[in-house]
Amino acid sequence: MASTLGVLEALLRNPGAIATKLEVKQLLKALLKRPGAITSASEAKQLHAQILKHNPSSPLYTSTAICVYSNFKLLNQSLLLFKTLQSPPSLAYKSIIKCYAVNGRFVESLASFVDMRASGNTPDHSVFPSVLKACAFLLDLRLGEAVHGCIIRLGMDVHLITGNALINMYAKLQSLAESEWRERDRRKKDLYVASSLINMYSRCARVEDSIRVFKITRQRDTISWNSVIAGCVQNGMFDEGLRLFRQMLKDNVIPGSVSFSSIMPACAHLTTLNLGKQLHGYIMRCGFDDNVFISSSLVDMYAKCGHIRTAGWIFGGIKGRDMVSWTAMIMGCALHGYAEDAISLFEQMKLEGIRPNHVAITAILTACSHAGMIDEGRRYFDRMTEEYGIRPGLEHYAAMADLYSRKGKLNDAYQLISTMTTPTGTIWSLLLSACRVHKNVDLAEKVASKIFEVDPENIGARVLLSNIYANDGRWKEAAKVRMTMRNMGIRKNPACSWIEVKNKIHTFIADDKSHPLHDEINIALCELQEKMELAGYVADTSEVLHDVDDEQKKYLLYGHSERRAIAFGIMSTPAGTTIRVIKNIRICVDCHTAIKLISKIVGREIVVRDNSRFHHFRDGECSCGEYW
């Protein structure tokens, strides 16, 4: 069989040399890489003839022909082909936008760009020069600025050709821009500078400076509001981002699609489901629910708030799903323990022509880790470089180390981490945590020394090491680690659980008496405890890492924060309501057993998200299958 480039050269020398569909397919693949290989209009028509002969109905082939025709400004031929496509792919849109522009049909070029965005196709850097050229010739500064904003949001402002096109547009519209700016000086004066500063400080992780500039800005528009909100959320200041979003609404600033895309991740990270639902309703009323970026944010929010079924429903309705939406759904399935669904989605994504990026690989490795699918995880890890050209990063090594560790293959995890150039304390801590679960004290000491070499003040590692010693009955060593922590001024973060009831977040710490319903919660816990014991519950005190008698250990277990949150949720919500609890550390074995029984006793679904994954407890069973 002739090579791909050989087929291309054969067509150019002799149109009759192409005889099979496979050869045409090879030819088109070559043209996608080298569209400049067709050097004349007659050769373009020869190509089109071959397409019509061998596969006239293929959207990809038709789009390739449109691309070649547009290179020779053959607008009529391009339009005839474009109109045959029911759902034009991205390549067809890019070609027709370019062809309109080079033929001076600037209004039609911009209209096609709008249609492209509405259809869910994401423009790339090859589209914007034609669109910016149209804005310049139509003397439409505001539209040009809107396109500039789109370029920034898509991260294409660093592309050289696009940057040159922006410079050219603004240069041609300079006088118009000066007139606009003079008008604006009289109204909304330092607004552009302020918005740029807000954005710049946010990107440099100097959020306090970003907020300070925002506060002194006399007149604020949607751009400045969006910039400061996005800056807060992207830098982990979720509460502040939500506060500013509420203030924006109070100031009667109408949020746009960018506003919702910016704020939804805050709801996801804070797991404020009720607020997320309210925003979802607002999004639907504003007509933004068909926006792929917003829909992807909703998928991510519902998945991280424990509503994986709702996330799946929204995902199923997205038209023109992009990498972000696919990855959000795959990671959602991974965190909820639905590994087979995650793998099925990953493979379907590839079949639809979307090439996995490093985030998608992290998601699928996480899915394998949470289900103990070690062979599948190894296969995806190996293929990421060979098949997708992605070099493993920290997050990929972490997922694989976690996979090995959960399966008890601690030495394999150690060897994998040792192959990294500069392993961090965080990735070593994954293995240290597994050493505790599998009670491997010798390896734990070895791993702990690695952690303290690179991160001497790692609080979690010292707490883990102390617990490992205590679990092994080596109380002196455990006390020594604790004394070292006190001498260094390091304090352990307490185990904490949250539950949202009636739009209010309630926080619980083990044996904390500050909640106004403390006594009622204790009574509810006692009643649940009696019913659990009648059902056969026996407390597992092996993970109570205090040198006290068994009765005291049982008492300490009863007061764990997630149990207190669940008892409060049962008291405060109608029968049948799902209880959703967030915990900042891994759920213990005894609480896992207890919550399974509680879900059966009270006839409720109880969803607990710990620092690793979601657990869906229903009718005495857990979705994790005892693997977490």
Side-chain angles (χ1 to χ4, degrees):
M1 179 61 65
S3 68
T4 301
L5 293 179
V7 173
L8 176 60
E9 292 167 358
L11 173 67
L12 299 183
R13 291 196 307 269
N14 178 14
I18 309 303
T20 68
K21 290 183 179 181
L22 179 59
E23 289 174 329
V24 172
K25 185 176 181 181
Q26 289 179 316
L27 168 64
L28 291 170
K29 284 184 178 179
L31 285 174
L32 288 173
K33 297 178 182 178
R34 291 179 54 194
I38 300 295
T39 58
S40 69
S42 62
E43 290 177 353
K45 291 176 182 177
Q46 291 168 14
L47 168 68
H48 189 195
Q50 294 296 329
I51 291 173
L52 292 174
K53 177 181 177 182
H54 291 286
N55 202 336
S57 61
S58 169
L60 176 62
Y61 293 0
T62 302
S63 299
T64 306
I66 295 172
C67 178
V68 173
Y69 275 140
S70 69
N71 287 339
F72 298 101
K73 305 181 182 180
L74 299 175
L75 180 59
N76 291 335
Q77 291 87 337
S78 298
L79 284 174
L80 286 173
L81 287 175
F82 187 81
K83 290 176 181 178
T84 65
L85 297 171
Q86 291 185 345
S87 299
S90 180
L91 177 61
Y93 269 116
K94 290 189 289 187
S95 301
I96 208 69
I97 291 168
K98 175 184 174 183
C99 199
Y100 269 131
V102 296
N103 281 276
R105 304 272 289 273
F106 300 116
V107 173
E108 291 93 336
S109 180
L110 291 172
S112 298
F113 176 73
V114 172
D115 289 342
M116 180 185 189
R117 299 288 286 139
S119 69
N121 284 286
T122 302
D124 62 17
H125 59 83
S126 65
V127 173
F128 287 110
S130 297
V131 176
L132 293 169
K133 179 181 179 182
C135 293
F137 275 91
L138 293 174
L139 300 177
D140 196 330
L141 176 62
R142 296 201 176 192
L143 180 58
E145 290 173 336
V147 173
H148 190 180
C150 181
I151 290 168
I152 293 172
R153 285 196 301 276
L154 294 175
M156 296 178 188
D157 50 324
V158 296
H159 194 272
L160 179 61
I161 298 176
T162 302
N164 288 339
L166 281 166
I167 293 170
N168 182 62
M169 180 194 73
Y170 281 121
K172 288 183 177 178
L173 299 177
Q174 183 177 4
S175 60
L176 184 61
E178 288 173 353
S179 174
E180 287 278 328
W181 289 334
R182 280 195 297 271
E183 175 65 21
R184 292 176 188 180
D185 278 345
R186 290 194 293 270
R187 295 181 281 113
K188 290 155 70 185
K189 186 176 180 181
D190 60 349
L191 191 56
Y192 282 108
V193 175
S195 295
S196 299
L197 285 172
I198 291 167
N199 188 49
M200 182 270 291
Y201 281 128
S202 296
R203 290 191 175 190
C204 295
R206 293 174 57 175
V207 189
E208 293 80 6
D209 291 327
S210 179
I211 295 172
R212 190 175 299 114
V213 172
F214 178 77
K215 286 181 177 178
I216 64 174
T217 304
R218 288 174 291 181
Q219 295 191 38
R220 303 161 183 164
D221 64 354
T222 307
I223 296 174
S224 56
W225 278 105
N226 289 341
S227 296
V228 73
I229 291 169
C232 289
V233 174
Q234 290 165 8
N235 286 279
M237 296 177 63
F238 306 115
D239 288 312
E240 182 65 11
L242 286 170
R243 187 192 69 78
L244 287 165
F245 183 80
R246 292 189 182 101
Q247 186 61 50
M248 180 178 76
L249 297 179
K250 288 180 181 178
D251 288 0
N252 295 317
V253 178
I254 299 174
S257 58
V258 177
S259 309
F260 291 112
S261 296
S262 299
I263 200 60
M264 290 308 299
C267 298
H269 283 276
L270 294 174
T271 60
T272 51
L273 178 61
N274 285 330
L275 177 59
K277 287 181 175 179
Q278 292 172 21
L279 289 173
H280 190 184
Y282 201 141
I283 286 166
M284 295 179 71
R285 289 193 297 274
C286 293
F288 292 136
D289 50 322
D290 61 349
N291 182 296
V292 67
F293 302 110
I294 293 177
S295 296
S296 299
S297 298
L298 285 169
V299 170
D300 184 60
M301 184 275 294
Y302 277 113
K304 288 179 177 175
C305 289
H307 261 275
I308 189 64
R309 286 187 290 272
T310 305
W313 174 75
I314 294 170
F315 176 78
I318 298 176
K319 296 180 180 178
R321 292 182 287 224
D322 61 3
M323 176 61 70
V324 176
S325 52
W326 280 103
T327 302
M329 194 63 223
I330 293 169
M331 182 60 86
C333 289
L335 292 176
H336 286 266
Y338 303 126
E340 292 183 358
D341 290 336
I343 290 173
S344 176
L345 285 167
F346 185 84
E347 296 300 329
Q348 184 182 347
M349 176 186 72
K350 293 195 300 178
L351 287 174
E352 294 193 12
I354 298 180
R355 186 180 181 85
N357 63 5
H358 70 285
V359 182
I361 298 294
T362 302
I364 199 64
L365 291 177
T366 300
C368 294
S369 174
H370 285 181
M373 303 171 75
I374 199 161
D375 292 334
E376 291 83 353
R378 281 173 173 164
R379 186 171 67 251
Y380 283 117
F381 186 78
D382 292 338
R383 284 165 55 186
M384 66 183 292
T385 301
E386 298 170 3
E387 189 171 335
Y388 310 126
I390 301 171
R391 294 183 60 186
L394 176 63
E395 63 275 21
H396 306 117
Y397 279 106
M400 284 301 296
D402 191 48
L403 172 55
Y404 284 131
S405 298
R406 288 173 186 267
K407 291 291 285 185
K409 296 182 176 294
L410 305 187
N411 289 327
D412 288 342
Y414 184 88
Q415 294 300 323
L416 176 72
I417 298 172
S418 298
T419 63
M420 296 177 63
T421 306
T422 54
T424 64
T426 301
I427 196 168
W428 281 118
S429 293
L430 289 170
L431 180 53
L432 185 62
S433 180
C435 290
R436 177 192 170 188
V437 173
H438 297 283
K439 298 179 173 56
N440 191 328
V441 181
D442 292 337
L443 183 59
E445 291 177 326
K446 189 176 179 181
V447 171
S449 67
K450 295 284 189 181
I451 295 173
F452 301 143
E453 285 177 12
V454 297
D455 189 3
E457 297 187 3
N458 190 308
I459 300 173
R462 294 187 185 276
V463 172
L464 273 173
L465 184 59
S466 173
N467 291 344
I468 289 168
Y469 283 136
N471 200 35
D472 198 45
R474 295 166 62 174
W475 299 108
K476 289 184 179 179
E477 288 90 338
K480 185 177 179 181
V481 175
R482 298 280 181 173
M483 181 63 70
T484 301
M485 291 173 63
R486 282 195 290 271
N487 292 338
M488 295 175 67
I490 297 174
R491 296 186 64 185
K492 173 188 174 183
N493 292 324
C496 189
S497 295
W498 299 266
I499 185 170
E500 185 177 3
V501 175
K502 296 177 181 177
N503 295 327
K504 183 178 179 181
I505 303 294
H506 296 260
T507 304
F508 295 89
I509 299 173
D511 299 318
D512 180 34
K513 300 180 181 180
S514 62
H515 196 279
L517 296 179
H518 171 75
D519 293 335
E520 290 88 338
I521 292 169
N522 276 348
I523 293 171
L525 280 171
C526 288
E527 292 176 353
L528 282 173
Q529 188 68 26
E530 292 175 2
K531 293 177 181 178
M532 287 161 55
E533 289 175 353
L534 287 173
Y537 166 74
V538 178
D540 181 355
T541 60
S542 63
E543 291 197 31
V544 179
L545 305 176
H546 298 276
D547 193 8
V548 296
D549 60 36
D550 284 345
E551 285 303 313
Q552 181 65 16
K553 287 183 178 182
K554 290 179 183 178
Y555 175 78
L556 292 171
L557 285 173
Y558 301 157
H560 276 192
S561 61
E562 60 266 53
R563 297 199 201 187
R564 302 183 68 78
I566 290 169
F568 173 73
I570 293 170
M571 292 165 42
S572 308
T573 58
T577 304
T578 299
I579 306 294
R580 302 179 190 279
V581 172
I582 310 297
K583 188 175 183 183
N584 65 335
I585 63 172
R586 184 181 186 269
I587 188 172
C588 78
V589 173
D590 186 71
C591 283
H592 193 267
T593 301
I595 299 170
K596 286 194 297 181
L597 281 170
I598 292 171
S599 71
K600 188 172 185 178
I601 290 167
V602 301
R604 305 265 200 121
E605 180 179 4
I606 301 173
V607 181
V608 178
R609 178 185 176 183
D610 63 13
N611 66 343
S612 176
R613 62 172 294 158
F614 281 91
H615 298 262
H616 293 254
F617 299 91
R618 188 187 298 112
D619 196 28
E621 301 292 335
C622 180
S623 62
C624 74
E626 309 305 309
Y627 187 85
W628 80 97

